[in-house]
Amino acid sequence: MSEILQKTFKVLLGGGEGVSWSLPSASSPHSLSPALANTLRHLALVAPKDEAELCRRQIEQCSSILTNPDSTPSSLAESIVRVMFIDLMGHDVSSLHIHAVKLAQASNLLHRKLGYLACSLLLPGHSDLRIMLTNSLIRDLSDKSCVPALVTGLVATCNIVTDPSVLPVFLDQVIKLTAHKNYLVRTKALITLEKFCDLSPSLWCWRRGEGGEKDVQNTVITALSDQDPTVVSTAIQILSKKLVQSTILGDNLPSSPESDSCDNDSIIGPLLHVYKQIHESRFPRDFVYKGLAAPWTQVHIMRCLSSMNSTINSNARSVVAVTEIFQNVLGLEFSKETIVQVLISEAIKAVGKLDCLKPFLSLAIKNVSKFLQSKNNQVKYCGLDLLQQLFQSRPPVLTAPQEDNVIFCFEHPDLPIQIKTLNLLISIINKENHEKILNSILVYMKKTGSSNDERRLECVEENVPKIHAVVNKFCDSLDYTVDSLLRLIQCSRDHVQRDLVEHLKLLISSSQSTHRNSSKQSTPEHLADNFQTIDLASEEGYSEAELTKVQLKFCQLMHKLVESGVKNAVIIELHIWQLGCFATEENANRSIDVILETATSFQGKTAESTERILCQACWALLDIRQKTGINLPESCHRFLAECSGIESGERHLKMMNKSFRLRHESCLARQIIDNHPSNCNNSEEQSVDATNIETSTQEDTIERGTDDIEVAQETLEIQNFDEMADGDKETKTELPDLEEMDFSLSFLDEIVYADLCQGGEAYVPLAMRHPSSVPTAMKTSAGSHNSAGSSWDKTALVTAPYQRSRTRNDTLNSSRSSLTPPGSPCSPTPSLPPAPLLWTAEGRREDEKEEGEGGDNVNSTEIQESKE
């Protein structure tokens, strides 16, 4: 048994015997009978394996008691209590719901209370049994003499009525009860009206008749002038909720009388009067909490005022009164008491919303600093949230110590505080403090990236794109931008890291590759030529000297990292990229050796990062070829052939396991390299190279025919190689309806037969190729086919005959059926005999009108008519 359940039983098990359903008193408290108490204790302590059986027996016992007409009211009440307890344990008691409805209609008020409680707990919100309680609720709401019955009816109405369509039945009676002489009834009536408005939001602005007043809204506003402070506080709480909702949705609502949530002019006067009474300590002592008079009422008053900026600005007296209110609250001494912190935080939020409170912005920042200096996690997080809200509405200027207080929150061990600090720092970065704050952010992200906490890594990684955007917006130095990107790359993963890597490549690409910018061809080679290094230096506005300095520094850094033994895949990829991007004739051979040595060490591995390294090596070799004009050694061509899956042998089998992206990009790079003109000075060597390139290109085209078809097919099916590598995104292909598909392939008859007549070879399925049935040469004339028809009669048919008349009309004249054999550019030869209908192991045979199949054959005249 849980501790809270033990405490509950200790309270319920009081003195006396039997269930005391009378009003509690000091001498006669509520108590449970020993039998009921033991039953509930057994249900709570039962072993999990015996729980279902025990609950089943209890449900049967309760059912027998509830259905027995001779059962006493006390036994019925105890059974309903057991039913509620079993329902809270998660077992189905839907068969006993009707008995809760019956108990709610009892004549005894206390029994009705228990029935209402059981109905609110047991009945689902969509249950039709709730409608059966309507008369009982109306009867309690119409009782003019018994206050407990009225209060019971109002409380039950709030918890049982969930269907907006029945609200008009209760609305008039509840509005009348807001003027009842008892303050408790008036308070419960206002709460019931708020519940009705939650079920049907349009009820808040509902008017009785055309041009009438808003009954519900005016009733709540009128309650602001009630003599009882409890009723007034309830009305203020309802108005604060509605005003906040209207402020949030105000931009999306049309400007019309119906869309106005509240009449602010009629609200602000009573609100200021109530606050004056609170400030002058006119509220009863029951409203004093922690030395503050009605603090929660003050909170709701401030929320109301924060939503009436335009109304306050239109009245000078209102501006003075509101300014005095918030000055008093902001002047409170910061305390560990939660209610004091709530008051101050509400005033700070109002500073960012009301124009008349702009002079208090510095005072609000000082109070926020006190929140940040607290050792309590909730208080510190609240301070960060308050400061972020101020920056979103009215950005202040923080001093250096205040910025340090925010940055120091990174040292807090609580992860939500760290993430909130990160979001806040991103929002307060400006031109003056961006280096200081960015350094703090990057140091924190590097520290977090070195940890093994997956949840922490995911939370930090979500903010990487925001930090990247801040870097691009405020950093004027290329050196600092590149350094920031390198540090962000270390803290990111997956597609976020890829975006950063590509942006870094574009940022520091050499601007000296003028031959790329001067090329105006719109060919695939041109697109691939410009894919790796696009010059953005002129767009960024960086000087040539600064760009050259950053490029040199970047190359030295990559070389140093690789030489020191760094195995990070992204670093190795960037190292290979810079070898190709910044290659010169002097270092070209050395760069090629390093690229091949690095890439060869990764061949045979299947990781996604390895695939990117090999792809980058292919493009780097292409860059060297284009920038320097040298002829790549045989080892480069061999490497590209292996990556594209052309080489045979064991290495080819390993490369076939590579992804289609590597095969596609290596084939494309190899093709561009082979077709790239040489820059050699010797014209004779140029002609020889050109001849070799042309010859090798033709040979390669023939050699990799099958592979290129596979790569092209896979490329058409999946355009995004990253998605293909991830494997978690499926490409969905929409197919036509089955009725529109031509499964007979009848449109191929004329094409195949015409080709056979012209001397084409007939196709023989692999499973049916045997020496006795497959001729050595199938290139025979149409006459030989006809003469051989008699010898094919006894050959087993591959397919069954079908009716040509069933051919779909849309395939007869479509592009699929308009193909012609060689030598016939326009249409099939009219003089050809009709196409045969049956396939044999040797090919197609002539139609022979057999017995019982006369209707299945069609002559050439019928075919011509069907085409027309």
Side-chain angles (χ1 to χ4, degrees), residues 280-327:
E280 296 176 354
S281 301
R282 294 185 181 181
F283 266 48
R285 293 187 59 85
D286 295 338
F287 285 83
V288 176
Y289 178 72
K290 299 294 183 180
L292 298 173
W296 286 111
T297 304
Q298 294 186 51
V299 169
H300 292 297
I301 289 175
M302 287 190 289
R303 289 178 181 174
C304 292
L305 296 176
S306 300
S307 305
M308 297 188 292
N309 184 41
S310 58
T311 304
I312 295 173
N313 293 335
S314 61
N315 191 318
R317 296 181 61 182
S318 299
V319 170
V320 174
V322 171
T323 302
E324 183 180 355
I325 291 174
F326 286 97
Q327 185 177 10

Side-chain angles (χ1 to χ4, degrees), residues 450-471:
S450 60
S451 64
N452 297 325
D453 190 346
E454 186 67 21
R455 178 168 171 263
R456 191 180 298 269
L457 290 174
E458 291 178 358
C459 294
V460 171
E461 191 178 10
E462 292 176 356
N463 294 276
V464 170
K466 300 178 184 178
I467 302 172
H468 182 206
V470 171
V471 171

Side-chain angles (χ1 to χ4, degrees), residues 42-63:
H42 289 159
L43 288 171
L45 299 176
V46 66
K49 62 180 180 178
D50 301 328
E51 180 180 314
E53 179 62 22
L54 178 60
C55 291
R56 185 188 63 80
R57 294 200 305 265
Q58 287 293 328
I59 291 174
E60 291 179 354
Q61 185 178 359
C62 291
S63 178

Side-chain angles (χ1 to χ4, degrees), residues 182-212:
N182 186 282
Y183 78 95
L184 191 57
V185 174
R186 298 198 299 271
T187 302
K188 298 299 182 182
L190 290 175
I191 296 174
T192 305
L193 288 178
E194 182 190 14
K195 177 66 175 181
F196 287 175
C197 292
D198 291 340
L199 293 176
S200 178
S202 60
L203 193 62
W204 177 254
C205 298
W206 174 72
R207 299 176 185 272
R208 190 182 300 275
E210 186 176 357

Side-chain angles (χ1 to χ4, degrees), residues 1-16 29-46 54 78 81-82 84-86 88-89:
M1 184 187 301
S2 64
E3 182 181 357
I4 187 64
L5 195 54
Q6 289 180 352
K7 293 182 178 180
T8 304
F9 280 133
K10 190 176 295 185
V11 172
L12 292 176
L13 296 175
H30 279 314
S31 62
L32 295 177
S33 65
L36 179 59
N38 290 331
T39 300
L40 299 183
R41 184 181 289 107
H42 289 159
L43 288 171
L45 299 176
V46 66
L54 178 60
E78 289 185 2
V81 172
R82 281 191 286 173
M84 287 191 289
F85 195 89
I86 294 172
L88 292 175
M89 294 177 67

Side-chain angles (χ1 to χ4, degrees), residues 365-485:
I365 295 297
K366 291 181 180 179
N367 281 281
V368 171
S369 299
K370 297 177 182 178
F371 278 87
L372 298 179
Q373 294 171 5
S374 175
K375 296 181 180 180
N376 187 286
N377 291 359
Q378 290 82 0
V379 178
K380 189 181 291 291
Y381 188 90
C382 179
L384 294 171
D385 185 69
L386 290 172
L387 190 57
Q388 188 172 14
Q389 291 187 46
L390 285 178
F391 270 93
Q392 291 175 353
S393 57
R394 187 169 289 124
V397 178
L398 298 182
T399 61
Q402 291 172 341
E403 291 178 355
D404 293 337
N405 286 339
V406 177
I407 295 174
F408 185 73
C409 292
F410 272 141
E411 304 299 327
H412 199 280
D414 189 59
L415 178 60
I417 290 179
Q418 295 177 4
I419 301 303
K420 195 67 177 181
T421 303
L422 181 60
N423 291 324
L424 175 59
L425 289 175
I426 293 174
S427 63
I428 67 176
I429 291 179
N430 54 44
K431 202 69 174 178
E432 289 73 23
N433 62 7
H434 71 274
E435 289 192 12
K436 173 184 175 181
I437 295 180
L438 278 177
N439 285 333
S440 302
I441 292 175
L442 294 174
V443 169
Y444 166 74
M445 297 192 69
K446 181 179 180 180
K447 179 181 177 181
T448 304
S450 60
S451 64
N452 297 325
D453 190 346
E454 186 67 21
R455 178 168 171 263
R456 191 180 298 269
L457 290 174
E458 291 178 358
C459 294
V460 171
E461 191 178 10
E462 292 176 356
N463 294 276
V464 170
K466 300 178 184 178
I467 302 172
H468 182 206
V470 171
V471 171
N472 293 333
K473 180 178 180 180
F474 293 106
C475 294
D476 296 331
S477 171
L478 178 61
D479 189 9
Y480 188 84
T481 302
V482 172
D483 179 65
S484 300
L485 286 176

Side-chain angles (χ1 to χ4, degrees), residues 543-800:
S543 64
E544 190 69 24
E546 184 181 9
L547 181 62
T548 304
K549 179 181 177 181
V550 172
Q551 290 173 353
L552 179 61
K553 183 178 179 181
F554 176 79
C555 295
Q556 292 175 350
L557 175 63
M558 293 297 105
H559 178 75
K560 181 179 179 181
L561 290 174
V562 174
E563 288 294 327
S564 62
V566 174
K567 300 299 182 181
N568 187 283
V570 177
I571 298 299
I572 297 175
E573 178 187 349
L574 290 174
H575 177 60
I576 294 176
W577 171 79
Q578 63 88 14
L579 288 174
C581 183
F582 306 119
T584 61
E585 293 184 5
E586 291 76 13
N587 63 7
N589 293 328
R590 173 60 181 166
S591 298
I592 291 174
D593 294 340
V594 175
I595 292 173
L596 293 179
E597 179 183 358
T598 305
T600 304
S601 63
F602 285 90
Q603 284 186 338
K605 301 179 181 179
T606 58
E608 183 181 354
S609 57
T610 301
E611 169 199 312
R612 294 196 184 100
I613 292 175
L614 294 177
C615 290
Q616 187 60 68
C618 298
W619 292 114
L621 294 176
L622 172 62
D623 280 338
I624 294 176
R625 166 69 172 168
Q626 292 180 324
K627 285 179 175 295
T628 62
I630 67 172
N631 291 325
L632 298 180
E634 183 63 25
S635 58
C636 296
H637 294 282
R638 187 164 53 251
F639 169 76
L640 292 173
E642 291 172 355
C643 290
S644 58
I646 296 176
E647 292 292 330
S648 60
E650 182 180 357
R651 186 177 295 275
H652 168 65
L653 295 177
K654 292 181 179 180
M655 294 311 303
M656 288 299 292
N657 294 329
K658 297 296 181 183
S659 69
F660 294 105
R661 172 180 178 174
L662 175 60
R663 296 175 61 191
H664 171 79
E665 295 193 14
S666 58
C667 286
L668 185 58
R670 186 168 182 263
Q671 182 181 4
I672 298 173
I673 291 175
D674 292 344
N675 294 329
H676 194 276
S678 177
N679 293 332
C680 300
N681 296 327
N682 193 330
S683 60
E684 186 175 350
E685 292 180 359
Q686 291 181 0
S687 62
V688 172
D689 290 342
T691 304
N692 293 337
I693 291 174
E694 182 178 0
T695 304
S696 62
T697 303
Q698 296 175 355
E699 294 176 353
D700 293 341
T701 304
I702 298 174
E703 185 180 23
R704 65 169 184 263
T706 304
D707 290 333
D708 284 346
I709 291 174
E710 293 178 2
V711 172
Q713 182 179 359
E714 299 297 334
T715 304
L716 290 174
E717 291 178 354
I718 304 177
Q719 294 292 337
N720 192 332
F721 295 107
D722 291 332
E723 293 183 1
M724 180 176 61
D726 292 339
D728 58 348
K729 299 181 180 177
E730 298 180 357
T731 304
K732 296 183 180 179
T733 304
E734 295 185 1
L735 298 176
D737 296 336
L738 292 177
E739 294 78 4
E740 300 179 1
M741 293 184 179
D742 183 11
F743 294 102
S744 66
L745 304 181
S746 58
F747 59 88
L748 293 176
D749 288 344
E750 293 178 292
I751 300 171
V752 174
Y753 181 62
D755 185 72
L756 292 174
C757 292
Q758 297 295 328
E761 288 190 358
Y763 171 75
V764 180
L766 181 62
M768 306 187 67
R769 296 177 187 175
H770 48 84
S772 61
S773 63
V774 181
T776 56
M778 299 297 294
K779 296 182 179 180
T780 58
S781 62
S784 63
H785 281 284
N786 296 334
S787 62
S790 59
S791 63
W792 289 358
D793 291 341
K794 299 181 181 180
T795 307
L797 299 180
V798 179
T799 60

